Short mmCIF file of all heavy atoms in Angstrom, two decimals:
data_model
loop_
_atom_site.label_atom_id
_atom_site.label_comp_id
_atom_site.label_asym_id
_atom_site.label_seq_id
_atom_site.Cartn_x
_atom_site.Cartn_y
_atom_site.Cartn_z
N MET A 1 -123.93 -36.90 184.07
CA MET A 1 -122.93 -36.61 183.05
C MET A 1 -122.04 -35.44 183.47
O MET A 1 -120.85 -35.46 183.23
CB MET A 1 -123.64 -36.32 181.73
CG MET A 1 -122.72 -36.12 180.59
SD MET A 1 -121.84 -37.63 180.24
CE MET A 1 -121.06 -37.22 178.74
N GLU A 2 -122.64 -34.43 184.08
CA GLU A 2 -121.87 -33.28 184.51
C GLU A 2 -120.88 -33.64 185.61
O GLU A 2 -119.78 -33.08 185.66
CB GLU A 2 -122.80 -32.17 185.00
CG GLU A 2 -123.56 -31.49 183.88
CD GLU A 2 -124.47 -30.41 184.41
OE1 GLU A 2 -124.18 -29.86 185.49
OE2 GLU A 2 -125.46 -30.11 183.75
N SER A 3 -121.26 -34.59 186.45
CA SER A 3 -120.34 -34.98 187.53
C SER A 3 -119.13 -35.72 186.97
O SER A 3 -118.02 -35.57 187.49
CB SER A 3 -121.06 -35.85 188.56
OG SER A 3 -121.53 -37.04 187.95
N ILE A 4 -119.31 -36.49 185.91
CA ILE A 4 -118.18 -37.18 185.28
C ILE A 4 -117.22 -36.17 184.67
O ILE A 4 -116.00 -36.28 184.81
CB ILE A 4 -118.68 -38.18 184.22
CG1 ILE A 4 -119.47 -39.31 184.89
CG2 ILE A 4 -117.52 -38.75 183.42
CD1 ILE A 4 -120.14 -40.24 183.93
N ILE A 5 -117.78 -35.17 184.01
CA ILE A 5 -116.95 -34.12 183.41
C ILE A 5 -116.20 -33.35 184.49
O ILE A 5 -115.01 -33.04 184.35
CB ILE A 5 -117.81 -33.19 182.54
CG1 ILE A 5 -118.33 -33.97 181.33
CG2 ILE A 5 -117.01 -31.97 182.10
CD1 ILE A 5 -119.35 -33.22 180.51
N THR A 6 -116.89 -33.06 185.59
CA THR A 6 -116.26 -32.35 186.70
C THR A 6 -115.10 -33.17 187.29
O THR A 6 -114.03 -32.62 187.58
CB THR A 6 -117.30 -32.05 187.79
OG1 THR A 6 -118.37 -31.30 187.21
CG2 THR A 6 -116.68 -31.27 188.94
N ILE A 7 -115.32 -34.46 187.45
CA ILE A 7 -114.27 -35.33 187.99
C ILE A 7 -113.09 -35.37 187.03
O ILE A 7 -111.93 -35.27 187.45
CB ILE A 7 -114.83 -36.74 188.26
CG1 ILE A 7 -115.80 -36.70 189.43
CG2 ILE A 7 -113.70 -37.73 188.54
CD1 ILE A 7 -116.57 -37.98 189.66
N LEU A 8 -113.34 -35.54 185.75
CA LEU A 8 -112.26 -35.59 184.76
C LEU A 8 -111.46 -34.28 184.71
O LEU A 8 -110.24 -34.30 184.62
CB LEU A 8 -112.80 -35.95 183.38
CG LEU A 8 -113.28 -37.39 183.21
CD1 LEU A 8 -113.89 -37.59 181.83
CD2 LEU A 8 -112.14 -38.36 183.44
N LEU A 9 -112.16 -33.17 184.76
CA LEU A 9 -111.48 -31.88 184.76
C LEU A 9 -110.67 -31.66 186.04
O LEU A 9 -109.59 -31.07 186.01
CB LEU A 9 -112.47 -30.74 184.55
CG LEU A 9 -113.04 -30.61 183.14
CD1 LEU A 9 -114.09 -29.51 183.08
CD2 LEU A 9 -111.93 -30.34 182.15
N SER A 10 -111.18 -32.16 187.15
CA SER A 10 -110.44 -32.07 188.42
C SER A 10 -109.17 -32.91 188.36
O SER A 10 -108.11 -32.49 188.83
CB SER A 10 -111.31 -32.52 189.58
OG SER A 10 -112.43 -31.68 189.71
N LEU A 11 -109.28 -34.11 187.79
CA LEU A 11 -108.09 -34.96 187.64
C LEU A 11 -107.07 -34.33 186.70
O LEU A 11 -105.86 -34.38 186.95
CB LEU A 11 -108.50 -36.35 187.13
CG LEU A 11 -109.24 -37.23 188.12
CD1 LEU A 11 -109.72 -38.51 187.43
CD2 LEU A 11 -108.38 -37.55 189.31
N LEU A 12 -107.54 -33.73 185.62
CA LEU A 12 -106.64 -33.05 184.69
C LEU A 12 -105.96 -31.86 185.36
O LEU A 12 -104.77 -31.63 185.16
CB LEU A 12 -107.42 -32.61 183.45
CG LEU A 12 -106.61 -31.93 182.36
CD1 LEU A 12 -105.60 -32.91 181.77
CD2 LEU A 12 -107.53 -31.40 181.28
N ALA A 13 -106.69 -31.12 186.15
CA ALA A 13 -106.10 -29.98 186.86
C ALA A 13 -105.08 -30.45 187.89
O ALA A 13 -104.02 -29.83 188.05
CB ALA A 13 -107.20 -29.17 187.54
N ALA A 14 -105.36 -31.55 188.58
CA ALA A 14 -104.40 -32.09 189.54
C ALA A 14 -103.13 -32.57 188.84
O ALA A 14 -102.01 -32.34 189.31
CB ALA A 14 -105.03 -33.23 190.34
N TYR A 15 -103.29 -33.24 187.70
CA TYR A 15 -102.14 -33.71 186.91
C TYR A 15 -101.29 -32.52 186.46
O TYR A 15 -100.07 -32.55 186.57
CB TYR A 15 -102.65 -34.49 185.71
CG TYR A 15 -101.56 -35.09 184.85
CD1 TYR A 15 -101.04 -36.34 185.14
CD2 TYR A 15 -101.05 -34.41 183.74
CE1 TYR A 15 -100.05 -36.90 184.36
CE2 TYR A 15 -100.06 -34.96 182.96
CZ TYR A 15 -99.56 -36.21 183.27
OH TYR A 15 -98.57 -36.76 182.50
N ALA A 16 -101.94 -31.48 185.98
CA ALA A 16 -101.21 -30.30 185.53
C ALA A 16 -100.56 -29.56 186.71
O ALA A 16 -99.46 -29.02 186.57
CB ALA A 16 -102.15 -29.36 184.77
N GLY A 17 -101.21 -29.54 187.85
CA GLY A 17 -100.64 -28.89 189.03
C GLY A 17 -99.39 -29.60 189.52
O GLY A 17 -98.37 -28.97 189.81
N VAL A 18 -99.46 -30.92 189.59
CA VAL A 18 -98.28 -31.69 189.99
C VAL A 18 -97.19 -31.53 188.93
O VAL A 18 -96.01 -31.40 189.25
CB VAL A 18 -98.65 -33.18 190.20
CG1 VAL A 18 -97.41 -34.03 190.40
CG2 VAL A 18 -99.59 -33.33 191.37
N GLY A 19 -97.60 -31.50 187.67
CA GLY A 19 -96.64 -31.31 186.59
C GLY A 19 -95.96 -29.96 186.66
O GLY A 19 -94.76 -29.84 186.39
N LEU A 20 -96.68 -28.93 187.05
CA LEU A 20 -96.09 -27.61 187.19
C LEU A 20 -95.06 -27.57 188.32
O LEU A 20 -93.97 -27.02 188.16
CB LEU A 20 -97.16 -26.55 187.43
CG LEU A 20 -96.67 -25.12 187.59
CD1 LEU A 20 -95.99 -24.64 186.30
CD2 LEU A 20 -97.82 -24.20 187.94
N LEU A 21 -95.39 -28.19 189.43
CA LEU A 21 -94.44 -28.26 190.54
C LEU A 21 -93.20 -29.05 190.14
O LEU A 21 -92.07 -28.65 190.43
CB LEU A 21 -95.10 -28.89 191.77
CG LEU A 21 -96.17 -28.07 192.44
CD1 LEU A 21 -96.82 -28.87 193.56
CD2 LEU A 21 -95.61 -26.77 192.97
N PHE A 22 -93.42 -30.17 189.45
CA PHE A 22 -92.29 -30.96 188.99
C PHE A 22 -91.48 -30.19 187.95
O PHE A 22 -90.26 -30.26 187.93
CB PHE A 22 -92.75 -32.29 188.40
CG PHE A 22 -91.61 -33.13 187.90
CD1 PHE A 22 -90.85 -33.87 188.78
CD2 PHE A 22 -91.29 -33.15 186.56
CE1 PHE A 22 -89.79 -34.62 188.33
CE2 PHE A 22 -90.23 -33.90 186.09
CZ PHE A 22 -89.47 -34.64 186.98
N GLY A 23 -92.16 -29.45 187.09
CA GLY A 23 -91.47 -28.67 186.07
C GLY A 23 -90.55 -27.62 186.67
O GLY A 23 -89.45 -27.39 186.17
N LEU A 24 -90.97 -27.01 187.76
CA LEU A 24 -90.11 -26.03 188.43
C LEU A 24 -88.90 -26.71 189.06
O LEU A 24 -87.79 -26.20 189.00
CB LEU A 24 -90.91 -25.27 189.48
CG LEU A 24 -91.98 -24.33 188.91
CD1 LEU A 24 -92.81 -23.74 190.04
CD2 LEU A 24 -91.35 -23.24 188.07
N TYR A 25 -89.12 -27.87 189.67
CA TYR A 25 -87.99 -28.61 190.22
C TYR A 25 -87.05 -29.04 189.10
O TYR A 25 -85.83 -28.96 189.23
CB TYR A 25 -88.47 -29.84 191.00
CG TYR A 25 -87.33 -30.76 191.37
CD1 TYR A 25 -86.49 -30.44 192.42
CD2 TYR A 25 -87.10 -31.93 190.67
CE1 TYR A 25 -85.43 -31.26 192.76
CE2 TYR A 25 -86.04 -32.76 190.99
CZ TYR A 25 -85.22 -32.43 192.05
OH TYR A 25 -84.17 -33.23 192.36
N PHE A 26 -87.63 -29.49 188.00
CA PHE A 26 -86.83 -29.94 186.87
C PHE A 26 -86.02 -28.80 186.27
O PHE A 26 -84.91 -28.98 185.83
CB PHE A 26 -87.75 -30.56 185.82
CG PHE A 26 -87.05 -31.36 184.77
CD1 PHE A 26 -86.50 -32.58 185.07
CD2 PHE A 26 -86.93 -30.89 183.48
CE1 PHE A 26 -85.85 -33.33 184.12
CE2 PHE A 26 -86.27 -31.62 182.51
CZ PHE A 26 -85.73 -32.84 182.84
N PHE A 27 -86.58 -27.61 186.28
CA PHE A 27 -85.90 -26.42 185.78
C PHE A 27 -84.64 -26.13 186.59
O PHE A 27 -83.59 -25.83 186.04
CB PHE A 27 -86.84 -25.22 185.82
CG PHE A 27 -86.21 -23.91 185.44
CD1 PHE A 27 -85.93 -23.61 184.13
CD2 PHE A 27 -85.91 -22.97 186.41
CE1 PHE A 27 -85.36 -22.40 183.77
CE2 PHE A 27 -85.34 -21.76 186.08
CZ PHE A 27 -85.06 -21.47 184.74
N PHE A 28 -84.75 -26.21 187.91
CA PHE A 28 -83.63 -25.83 188.77
C PHE A 28 -82.62 -26.95 189.00
O PHE A 28 -81.42 -26.70 189.01
CB PHE A 28 -84.14 -25.30 190.12
CG PHE A 28 -84.81 -23.97 190.00
CD1 PHE A 28 -86.18 -23.86 190.16
CD2 PHE A 28 -84.09 -22.84 189.72
CE1 PHE A 28 -86.81 -22.63 190.06
CE2 PHE A 28 -84.69 -21.60 189.61
CZ PHE A 28 -86.07 -21.50 189.77
N LYS A 29 -83.08 -28.18 189.22
CA LYS A 29 -82.15 -29.24 189.60
C LYS A 29 -82.27 -30.51 188.78
O LYS A 29 -81.27 -31.17 188.50
CB LYS A 29 -82.36 -29.60 191.07
CG LYS A 29 -81.98 -28.51 192.00
CD LYS A 29 -81.87 -29.03 193.41
CE LYS A 29 -81.52 -27.87 194.31
NZ LYS A 29 -80.45 -28.15 195.20
N GLY A 30 -83.44 -30.92 188.42
CA GLY A 30 -83.67 -32.23 187.83
C GLY A 30 -83.03 -32.44 186.47
O GLY A 30 -82.53 -33.53 186.18
N ALA A 31 -83.04 -31.44 185.63
CA ALA A 31 -82.47 -31.59 184.29
C ALA A 31 -80.98 -31.87 184.35
O ALA A 31 -80.46 -32.67 183.57
CB ALA A 31 -82.75 -30.34 183.46
N ALA A 32 -80.29 -31.26 185.28
CA ALA A 32 -78.85 -31.48 185.41
C ALA A 32 -78.55 -32.87 185.95
O ALA A 32 -77.47 -33.41 185.69
CB ALA A 32 -78.24 -30.42 186.32
N GLN A 33 -79.47 -33.47 186.68
CA GLN A 33 -79.25 -34.82 187.18
C GLN A 33 -79.39 -35.85 186.07
O GLN A 33 -78.69 -36.86 186.07
CB GLN A 33 -80.22 -35.14 188.31
CG GLN A 33 -79.94 -34.37 189.57
CD GLN A 33 -80.94 -34.66 190.67
OE1 GLN A 33 -81.91 -35.36 190.46
NE2 GLN A 33 -80.69 -34.12 191.84
N ILE A 34 -80.30 -35.61 185.14
CA ILE A 34 -80.48 -36.53 184.03
C ILE A 34 -79.39 -36.33 182.98
O ILE A 34 -78.82 -37.29 182.48
CB ILE A 34 -81.88 -36.36 183.40
CG1 ILE A 34 -82.95 -36.84 184.37
CG2 ILE A 34 -81.99 -37.13 182.09
CD1 ILE A 34 -84.36 -36.65 183.88
N ASP A 35 -79.11 -35.08 182.64
CA ASP A 35 -78.12 -34.76 181.61
C ASP A 35 -77.15 -33.72 182.16
O ASP A 35 -77.49 -32.54 182.25
CB ASP A 35 -78.82 -34.24 180.37
CG ASP A 35 -77.88 -34.03 179.20
OD1 ASP A 35 -76.72 -34.46 179.29
OD2 ASP A 35 -78.33 -33.47 178.19
N PRO A 36 -75.94 -34.11 182.51
CA PRO A 36 -74.99 -33.16 183.10
C PRO A 36 -74.59 -32.02 182.16
O PRO A 36 -74.16 -30.97 182.62
CB PRO A 36 -73.76 -34.02 183.43
CG PRO A 36 -74.20 -35.42 183.34
CD PRO A 36 -75.42 -35.47 182.50
N VAL A 37 -74.73 -32.19 180.86
CA VAL A 37 -74.35 -31.15 179.91
C VAL A 37 -75.27 -29.94 180.04
O VAL A 37 -74.86 -28.80 179.78
CB VAL A 37 -74.38 -31.71 178.47
CG1 VAL A 37 -74.07 -30.65 177.45
CG2 VAL A 37 -73.40 -32.87 178.35
N ILE A 38 -76.50 -30.15 180.47
CA ILE A 38 -77.47 -29.04 180.57
C ILE A 38 -77.05 -28.04 181.65
O ILE A 38 -77.47 -26.88 181.60
CB ILE A 38 -78.89 -29.58 180.81
CG1 ILE A 38 -79.95 -28.53 180.47
CG2 ILE A 38 -79.10 -29.99 182.23
CD1 ILE A 38 -80.36 -28.51 179.07
N SER A 39 -76.23 -28.45 182.60
CA SER A 39 -75.83 -27.51 183.66
C SER A 39 -74.94 -26.39 183.12
O SER A 39 -74.85 -25.32 183.72
CB SER A 39 -75.11 -28.25 184.78
OG SER A 39 -73.94 -28.86 184.29
N ASP A 40 -74.30 -26.61 181.97
CA ASP A 40 -73.47 -25.58 181.36
C ASP A 40 -74.25 -24.67 180.41
O ASP A 40 -73.71 -23.69 179.92
CB ASP A 40 -72.32 -26.22 180.58
CG ASP A 40 -71.37 -26.97 181.49
OD1 ASP A 40 -71.29 -26.60 182.68
OD2 ASP A 40 -70.72 -27.92 181.02
N SER A 41 -75.50 -24.99 180.16
CA SER A 41 -76.29 -24.20 179.20
C SER A 41 -76.92 -22.99 179.90
O SER A 41 -76.94 -22.89 181.12
CB SER A 41 -77.38 -25.07 178.58
OG SER A 41 -78.30 -25.46 179.56
N LYS A 42 -77.47 -22.11 179.09
CA LYS A 42 -78.13 -20.92 179.62
C LYS A 42 -79.46 -21.30 180.25
O LYS A 42 -80.05 -22.33 179.95
CB LYS A 42 -78.37 -19.91 178.50
CG LYS A 42 -77.10 -19.35 177.92
CD LYS A 42 -77.42 -18.33 176.85
CE LYS A 42 -76.14 -17.77 176.27
NZ LYS A 42 -76.39 -16.78 175.24
N TRP A 43 -79.97 -20.42 181.09
CA TRP A 43 -81.24 -20.68 181.75
C TRP A 43 -82.40 -20.67 180.76
O TRP A 43 -83.44 -21.29 181.01
CB TRP A 43 -81.48 -19.70 182.89
CG TRP A 43 -81.69 -18.29 182.43
CD1 TRP A 43 -80.74 -17.36 182.22
CD2 TRP A 43 -82.94 -17.67 182.12
NE1 TRP A 43 -81.31 -16.19 181.78
CE2 TRP A 43 -82.66 -16.35 181.72
CE3 TRP A 43 -84.25 -18.09 182.14
CZ2 TRP A 43 -83.66 -15.48 181.34
CZ3 TRP A 43 -85.25 -17.21 181.78
CH2 TRP A 43 -84.95 -15.92 181.38
N THR A 44 -82.25 -20.01 179.62
CA THR A 44 -83.34 -19.97 178.64
C THR A 44 -83.56 -21.34 178.00
O THR A 44 -84.69 -21.67 177.64
CB THR A 44 -83.04 -18.93 177.54
OG1 THR A 44 -81.75 -19.19 176.98
CG2 THR A 44 -83.06 -17.53 178.11
N VAL A 45 -82.50 -22.12 177.90
CA VAL A 45 -82.66 -23.47 177.37
C VAL A 45 -83.46 -24.32 178.34
O VAL A 45 -84.36 -25.06 177.95
CB VAL A 45 -81.28 -24.11 177.10
CG1 VAL A 45 -81.41 -25.56 176.69
CG2 VAL A 45 -80.53 -23.32 176.04
N ARG A 46 -83.17 -24.19 179.61
CA ARG A 46 -83.93 -24.92 180.62
C ARG A 46 -85.38 -24.46 180.66
O ARG A 46 -86.29 -25.24 180.93
CB ARG A 46 -83.31 -24.74 181.99
CG ARG A 46 -82.03 -25.46 182.16
CD ARG A 46 -81.60 -25.35 183.59
NE ARG A 46 -80.28 -25.88 183.77
CZ ARG A 46 -79.73 -26.08 184.94
NH1 ARG A 46 -80.39 -25.78 186.03
NH2 ARG A 46 -78.52 -26.56 185.03
N LEU A 47 -85.60 -23.18 180.42
CA LEU A 47 -86.96 -22.65 180.42
C LEU A 47 -87.80 -23.31 179.33
O LEU A 47 -89.00 -23.53 179.52
CB LEU A 47 -86.92 -21.13 180.22
CG LEU A 47 -88.19 -20.36 180.45
CD1 LEU A 47 -88.62 -20.49 181.89
CD2 LEU A 47 -87.97 -18.90 180.12
N LEU A 48 -87.18 -23.66 178.24
CA LEU A 48 -87.90 -24.35 177.17
C LEU A 48 -88.30 -25.77 177.55
O LEU A 48 -89.19 -26.35 176.93
CB LEU A 48 -87.04 -24.38 175.90
CG LEU A 48 -86.81 -23.05 175.22
CD1 LEU A 48 -85.78 -23.21 174.10
CD2 LEU A 48 -88.10 -22.50 174.67
N LEU A 49 -87.67 -26.34 178.55
CA LEU A 49 -87.99 -27.69 178.99
C LEU A 49 -89.22 -27.76 179.89
O LEU A 49 -89.79 -28.83 180.07
CB LEU A 49 -86.79 -28.29 179.74
CG LEU A 49 -85.52 -28.50 178.94
CD1 LEU A 49 -84.41 -28.98 179.86
CD2 LEU A 49 -85.74 -29.47 177.81
N ILE A 50 -89.64 -26.64 180.46
CA ILE A 50 -90.74 -26.65 181.42
C ILE A 50 -92.05 -27.15 180.81
O ILE A 50 -92.70 -28.02 181.41
CB ILE A 50 -90.90 -25.28 182.09
CG1 ILE A 50 -89.73 -25.03 183.03
CG2 ILE A 50 -92.21 -25.19 182.87
CD1 ILE A 50 -89.76 -23.71 183.73
N PRO A 51 -92.50 -26.68 179.65
CA PRO A 51 -93.78 -27.20 179.13
C PRO A 51 -93.77 -28.71 178.89
O PRO A 51 -94.75 -29.40 179.19
CB PRO A 51 -93.98 -26.44 177.81
CG PRO A 51 -93.16 -25.22 177.95
CD PRO A 51 -92.00 -25.59 178.81
N GLY A 52 -92.67 -29.22 178.38
CA GLY A 52 -92.59 -30.66 178.17
C GLY A 52 -92.55 -31.43 179.47
O GLY A 52 -93.12 -32.52 179.57
N SER A 53 -91.89 -30.88 180.47
CA SER A 53 -91.82 -31.58 181.75
C SER A 53 -93.16 -31.55 182.49
O SER A 53 -93.43 -32.45 183.29
CB SER A 53 -90.72 -30.99 182.62
OG SER A 53 -90.98 -29.66 182.95
N ILE A 54 -93.99 -30.57 182.21
CA ILE A 54 -95.32 -30.55 182.80
C ILE A 54 -96.15 -31.71 182.26
O ILE A 54 -96.85 -32.40 183.00
CB ILE A 54 -96.03 -29.20 182.55
CG1 ILE A 54 -95.36 -28.11 183.37
CG2 ILE A 54 -97.52 -29.28 182.89
CD1 ILE A 54 -95.86 -26.72 183.07
N GLY A 55 -96.06 -31.95 180.97
CA GLY A 55 -96.85 -33.03 180.38
C GLY A 55 -96.27 -34.41 180.60
O GLY A 55 -97.00 -35.39 180.72
N LEU A 56 -94.95 -34.51 180.69
CA LEU A 56 -94.29 -35.81 180.78
C LEU A 56 -93.67 -36.06 182.15
O LEU A 56 -92.73 -36.84 182.27
CB LEU A 56 -93.20 -35.90 179.70
CG LEU A 56 -93.67 -35.81 178.26
CD1 LEU A 56 -92.48 -35.75 177.32
CD2 LEU A 56 -94.55 -36.98 177.92
N TRP A 57 -94.21 -35.45 183.18
CA TRP A 57 -93.60 -35.55 184.49
C TRP A 57 -93.52 -36.97 185.03
O TRP A 57 -92.53 -37.30 185.71
CB TRP A 57 -94.23 -34.60 185.50
CG TRP A 57 -95.62 -34.92 185.91
CD1 TRP A 57 -96.76 -34.43 185.38
CD2 TRP A 57 -96.02 -35.79 186.97
NE1 TRP A 57 -97.84 -34.95 186.03
CE2 TRP A 57 -97.42 -35.79 187.01
CE3 TRP A 57 -95.33 -36.58 187.89
CZ2 TRP A 57 -98.14 -36.54 187.93
CZ3 TRP A 57 -96.04 -37.33 188.80
CH2 TRP A 57 -97.43 -37.30 188.82
N PRO A 58 -94.47 -37.88 184.78
CA PRO A 58 -94.28 -39.24 185.32
C PRO A 58 -93.06 -39.94 184.71
O PRO A 58 -92.30 -40.62 185.43
CB PRO A 58 -95.56 -39.96 184.94
CG PRO A 58 -96.57 -38.90 184.75
CD PRO A 58 -95.81 -37.74 184.18
N LEU A 59 -92.84 -39.77 183.42
CA LEU A 59 -91.69 -40.39 182.76
C LEU A 59 -90.38 -39.78 183.27
O LEU A 59 -89.42 -40.50 183.57
CB LEU A 59 -91.81 -40.21 181.25
CG LEU A 59 -90.63 -40.70 180.41
CD1 LEU A 59 -90.56 -42.21 180.47
CD2 LEU A 59 -90.78 -40.21 179.00
N LEU A 60 -90.33 -38.47 183.38
CA LEU A 60 -89.11 -37.80 183.85
C LEU A 60 -88.83 -38.10 185.32
O LEU A 60 -87.68 -38.23 185.72
CB LEU A 60 -89.22 -36.30 183.61
CG LEU A 60 -89.23 -35.88 182.15
CD1 LEU A 60 -89.54 -34.39 182.03
CD2 LEU A 60 -87.91 -36.20 181.50
N LEU A 61 -89.89 -38.24 186.10
CA LEU A 61 -89.70 -38.60 187.51
C LEU A 61 -89.11 -40.00 187.62
O LEU A 61 -88.22 -40.24 188.44
CB LEU A 61 -91.04 -38.51 188.25
CG LEU A 61 -91.00 -38.84 189.74
CD1 LEU A 61 -90.10 -37.87 190.48
CD2 LEU A 61 -92.40 -38.82 190.31
N ALA A 62 -89.58 -40.92 186.79
CA ALA A 62 -89.02 -42.27 186.80
C ALA A 62 -87.55 -42.25 186.40
O ALA A 62 -86.72 -42.94 187.00
CB ALA A 62 -89.82 -43.16 185.85
N LYS A 63 -87.20 -41.43 185.41
CA LYS A 63 -85.80 -41.31 185.00
C LYS A 63 -84.94 -40.73 186.13
O LYS A 63 -83.81 -41.16 186.34
CB LYS A 63 -85.66 -40.44 183.76
CG LYS A 63 -86.02 -41.13 182.50
CD LYS A 63 -85.67 -40.25 181.31
CE LYS A 63 -85.89 -41.03 180.06
NZ LYS A 63 -84.71 -41.14 179.26
N LEU A 64 -85.47 -39.75 186.84
CA LEU A 64 -84.73 -39.16 187.96
C LEU A 64 -84.51 -40.18 189.07
O LEU A 64 -83.43 -40.26 189.65
CB LEU A 64 -85.46 -37.95 188.52
CG LEU A 64 -85.26 -36.64 187.80
CD1 LEU A 64 -86.17 -35.57 188.39
CD2 LEU A 64 -83.82 -36.20 187.88
N ILE A 65 -85.52 -40.97 189.37
CA ILE A 65 -85.40 -41.97 190.42
C ILE A 65 -84.37 -43.01 190.05
O ILE A 65 -83.54 -43.42 190.87
CB ILE A 65 -86.78 -42.60 190.72
CG1 ILE A 65 -87.68 -41.58 191.39
CG2 ILE A 65 -86.63 -43.85 191.58
CD1 ILE A 65 -89.11 -42.02 191.54
N ILE A 66 -84.37 -43.44 188.78
CA ILE A 66 -83.38 -44.42 188.33
C ILE A 66 -81.98 -43.84 188.39
O ILE A 66 -81.03 -44.51 188.80
CB ILE A 66 -83.74 -44.92 186.92
CG1 ILE A 66 -85.00 -45.77 186.97
CG2 ILE A 66 -82.60 -45.70 186.29
CD1 ILE A 66 -85.58 -46.12 185.62
N LYS A 67 -81.82 -42.58 187.98
CA LYS A 67 -80.50 -41.94 188.01
C LYS A 67 -79.97 -41.78 189.43
O LYS A 67 -78.79 -41.95 189.68
CB LYS A 67 -80.56 -40.54 187.37
CG LYS A 67 -80.40 -40.56 185.89
CD LYS A 67 -78.98 -40.84 185.54
CE LYS A 67 -78.74 -40.47 184.11
NZ LYS A 67 -77.48 -40.87 183.61
N VAL A 68 -80.85 -41.44 190.37
CA VAL A 68 -80.42 -41.23 191.75
C VAL A 68 -80.00 -42.55 192.37
O VAL A 68 -79.02 -42.62 193.11
CB VAL A 68 -81.54 -40.55 192.56
CG1 VAL A 68 -81.25 -40.57 194.04
CG2 VAL A 68 -81.75 -39.12 192.09
N LYS A 69 -80.73 -43.64 192.06
CA LYS A 69 -80.38 -44.94 192.62
C LYS A 69 -79.08 -45.49 192.04
O LYS A 69 -78.37 -46.21 192.71
CB LYS A 69 -81.51 -45.94 192.37
CG LYS A 69 -82.70 -45.73 193.25
CD LYS A 69 -83.71 -46.81 193.03
CE LYS A 69 -84.92 -46.64 193.94
NZ LYS A 69 -85.91 -47.68 193.72
N ALA A 70 -78.79 -45.14 190.79
CA ALA A 70 -77.59 -45.70 190.15
C ALA A 70 -76.32 -45.03 190.58
O ALA A 70 -76.16 -44.10 191.22
CB ALA A 70 -77.72 -45.57 188.63
#
C-alpha cells in the first residue's frame, strides 16, 4: 500500500513540476500567443495566470500547439 501511495505522490509531483515549467513559459510567451490582448496588460495580470496554468497545462499546451499550427 505504501508503494502505491509513493508512486501516486511521485506522479503528482512530476505533473506539478512540468506544470510549473509550463507556467513560467506561459507567463513570458505562451499567454500572448493564445490571446494577443494579454501582451498589452501588466505583468501582474500574467502572474495571476500561473497557478491556473500549472493545473491546466495539458489543455493550454494543446491550445498553444493548435494556435502555432494555424
Side-chain angles (χ1 to χ4, degrees):
M1 185 65 171
E2 288 180 26
S3 61
I4 294 172
I5 293 172
T6 303
I7 291 171
L8 289 176
L9 287 176
S10 297
L11 290 173
L12 182 65
Y15 183 87
V18 171
L20 180 62
L21 291 175
F22 179 80
L24 292 174
Y25 170 77
F26 194 72
F27 175 75
F28 290 109
K29 293 194 181 228
Q33 290 178 354
I34 291 177
D35 186 9
V37 177
I38 198 87
S39 62
D40 295 334
S41 65
K42 295 182 180 180
W43 67 272
T44 53
V45 174
R46 288 187 188 190
L47 192 63
L48 292 172
L49 296 175
I50 289 179
S53 64
I54 290 173
L56 298 173
W57 69 266
L59 175 68
L60 293 171
L61 181 62
K63 282 188 173 239
L64 277 174
I65 291 171
I66 291 170
K67 275 287 196 189
V68 168
K69 285 185 179 180

